[in-house]
Amino acid sequence: MSRSVLVLGAGIVGVSCALALQQRGLAVTLLDRREPGRETSYGNAGVIGRSSLVPLNNPGLYAKLPAYLGNRHPALHLDWRRALASPGWMLRFLWEARPSQASARIAAMNGLTASAVVRHRALMQQAGISHRLRETGTLKLWRSAAGAEAARAEQALFTAYGIASEILDRQGISALEPSLNPIFPTGLFVAANASVDSPGAVTAAYAALFAARGGRIVQDEVGALRREGALWRVQTGQGVHEAGDVVVALGPWSADLLAPLGLDPKLDVERGYHRHLAPQDGARLSRPVYDVDGAYFMTPMEEGYRITSGVDLSARDAPDRLRQIDSVTQSAREAFPLGAVIGPTWRGARPTLPDSLPMIGAAPGHDGLWLAFGNQHLGFSTGPMTGEILAALMCGEAPPVDPTPYAPGRYL
Ligand SMILES: Cc1cc2nc3c(=O)[nH]c(=O)nc-3n(C[C@H](O)[C@H](O)[C@H](O)COP(=O)(O)OP(=O)(O)OC[C@H]3O[C@@H](n4cnc5c(N)ncnc54)[C@H](O)[C@@H]3O)c2cc1C
């Protein structure tokens, strides 16, 4: 009999783990209370970010703190009451931004993003959804003159990692995206990035591929997890599932299940919102654009033009706080001819550890318990690589990159 594994969570990370384990001959059951790809992996900006190397908590964060902490920048909202009641996580997050950490952090991010487009391209081919992949790059835009220097600094970093980029002036931006209003003097085009027109549909198609290859998908609420002898027992709404190995890939909910085992992975969330709008007068974009000063991504999606907001550091389950998405919607209207809002505003939560890197590997002291979460702002891009690293570790193979920076032991 083949080794059996339960993968908890069918977001992009859980589905990728399930596929990678199945490919190695394991009998995998994938559990989720919803259909695959309906939570964070649905609502993101759909960017496959090869060049996303620098996390939010980089040394530059300290200079932005006065604006951020005063809740005066749309990029970030801080719930002060919550932060003061329990300052530990926030202080760790700020401490991790110190300059001595920066180059190792960027190298670790590079390990996850270098093959992101290649891996998604291969999976999309296998799943028969290559039409969803747009290999047209991304365009970052600055409204102020200071953007030119920032663009040059980013370009230098990208060059060091072998990523080609092009700095554009107003005319260059118009040539690439004629429908953008001419309010941006500087842009940075990165051809190596890609995007999709529906990250939720892509995740669902990967799950369908897993099922077509003989994988089992169970839709049920996961309640509790405990070890009995050589087996892990997962209590769900409708029964109990057993296996020698279990993978926790519950995204922003991962810590809930681990707490009763005495494990605190220091996981918090960075909430974010999206809203779809219809384009006006035949306006179109050929790629996602990021407006640095406006603090939003705008991505052409199946449903319309998706505007995603920055970070809302409120409790995961606190009520919506729409001020940020309202503000960035207004900024997006300045940049591009947008008409009516389509459908409801969506809220999700980026699962984040203080060092902005995911946890991939064995839970210390718990035989057969494996962790794959904390993919923060980049989980849609880094999900497939996360799955590969985890499956390699579980099967005693050498992972495709050094897994040390992602080892759960750094916080557990
Ligand atoms: C606004 C926004 C924009 C983003 N933009 C991008 C982007 O452009 N590119 C990029 O790469 N990343 C982006 N991200 C980040 C990315 O979306 C996440 O990192 C990624 O989706 C996390 O995937 P996951 O599988 O870990 O979590 P999820 O997709 O949330 O999956 C977790 C799953 O666990 C299930 N679950 C939870 N608890 C239980 C339970 N008790 N029982 C059963 N099932 C349960 C949920 O139903 C869910 O399906 C963005 C995120 C946000 C919020």
Side-chain angles (χ1 to χ4, degrees):
M1 268 185 39
S2 51
R3 179 176 163 196
S4 63
V5 186
L6 299 169
V7 176
L8 311 182
I12 187 66
V13 174
V15 170
S16 299
C17 291
L19 278 165
L21 289 162
Q22 181 185 54
Q23 204 185 7
R24 287 164 175 79
L26 279 70
V28 185
T29 301
L30 182 60
L31 284 109
D32 200 301
R33 61 186 166 206
R34 301 194 64 181
E35 287 176 14
R38 297 310 300 163
E39 293 283 357
T40 333
S41 301
Y42 156 75
N44 59 68
V47 174
I48 304 175
R50 162 61 188 110
S51 68
S52 303
L53 300 175
V54 183
L56 175 69
N57 54 345
N58 66 78
L61 175 65
Y62 298 134
K64 294 179 190 150
L65 276 183
Y68 282 178
L69 298 184
N71 285 333
R72 284 185 282 109
H73 196 290
L76 188 130
H77 166 258
L78 175 65
D79 176 346
W80 267 104
R81 241 193 299 171
R82 176 170 180 259
L84 290 174
S86 175
W89 189 90
M90 182 64 62
L91 291 174
R92 265 178 198 263
F93 187 74
L94 290 173
W95 176 238
E96 290 293 348
R98 65 197 189 279
S100 61
Q101 303 304 299
S103 60
R105 193 69 42 74
I106 288 170
M109 288 305 304
N110 186 57
L112 297 175
T113 65
S115 63
V117 175
V118 176
R119 286 177 192 279
H120 270 293
R121 190 192 296 133
L123 284 170
M124 285 188 219
Q125 269 163 10
Q126 292 161 38
I129 53 159
S130 296
H131 61 281
R132 293 202 178 273
L133 181 64
R134 231 178 350 227
E135 297 208 47
T136 52
T138 55
L139 179 59
K140 192 165 181 172
L141 299 159
W142 285 266
R143 295 181 182 221
S144 67
E149 199 187 323
R152 278 195 295 275
E154 278 200 30
Q155 186 169 55
L157 174 69
F158 294 163
T159 304
Y161 278 90
I163 304 168
S165 63
E166 195 182 341
I167 295 179
L168 303 175
D169 60 12
R170 221 179 286 267
Q171 287 73 27
I173 293 168
S174 289
L176 197 64
E177 291 292 0
S179 297
L180 281 175
N181 294 329
I183 60 169
F184 302 104
T186 306
L188 186 64
F189 171 57
V190 181
N193 293 330
S195 58
V196 299
D197 66 355
S198 174
V202 169
T203 307
Y206 292 174
L209 177 67
F210 163 76
R213 290 175 173 170
R216 187 168 163 239
I217 301 180
V218 175
Q219 194 174 339
D220 204 350
E221 174 85 28
V222 171
L225 182 62
R226 67 175 189 278
R227 180 90 171 168
E228 277 184 18
L231 291 178
W232 282 98
R233 289 170 69 86
V234 174
Q235 181 71 51
T236 64
Q238 290 162 34
V240 175
H241 300 263
E242 290 182 344
D245 295 276
V246 61
V247 178
V248 177
L250 296 168
W253 295 274
S254 299
D256 301 5
L257 196 69
L258 297 174
L261 299 174
L263 295 171
D264 173 8
K266 312 290 179 294
L267 181 74
D268 206 327
V269 299
E270 299 173 56
R271 304 197 321 170
Y273 301 81
H274 86 217
R275 187 174 275 167
H276 295 121
L277 287 94
Q280 267 185 335
D281 309 326
R284 65 183 296 270
L285 290 175
S286 299
R287 56 189 57 77
V289 298
Y290 183 69
D291 175 348
V292 176
D293 304 287
Y296 63 88
F297 257 108
M298 177 161 42
T299 306
M301 290 280 180
E302 213 168 46
E303 300 94 330
Y305 279 73
R306 180 176 290 182
I307 317 293
T308 53
S309 73
V311 168
D312 173 14
L313 289 177
S314 300
R316 185 188 64 198
D317 302 324
D320 285 351
R321 194 192 159 276
L322 296 178
R323 211 181 311 161
Q324 249 172 321
I325 186 75
D326 289 343
S327 148
V328 301
T329 304
Q330 198 45 45
S331 300
R333 287 186 186 283
E334 291 162 13
F336 183 76
L338 290 165
V341 172
I342 303 167
T345 298
W346 172 89
R347 188 190 83 221
R350 305 168 180 94
T352 297
L353 293 154
D355 62 3
S356 294
L357 294 173
M359 237 176 217
I360 311 173
H366 294 265
D367 239 18
L369 178 61
W370 303 87
L371 309 179
F373 56 80
N375 293 63
Q376 209 208 15
H377 289 240
L378 274 178
F380 184 67
S381 312
T382 60
M385 184 55 153
T386 300
E388 277 302 311
I389 296 172
L390 188 84
L393 290 170
M394 286 180 71
C395 296
E397 298 167 14
V401 292
D402 176 10
T404 315
Y406 327 112
R410 69 196 197 278
Y411 288 122
L412 287 172

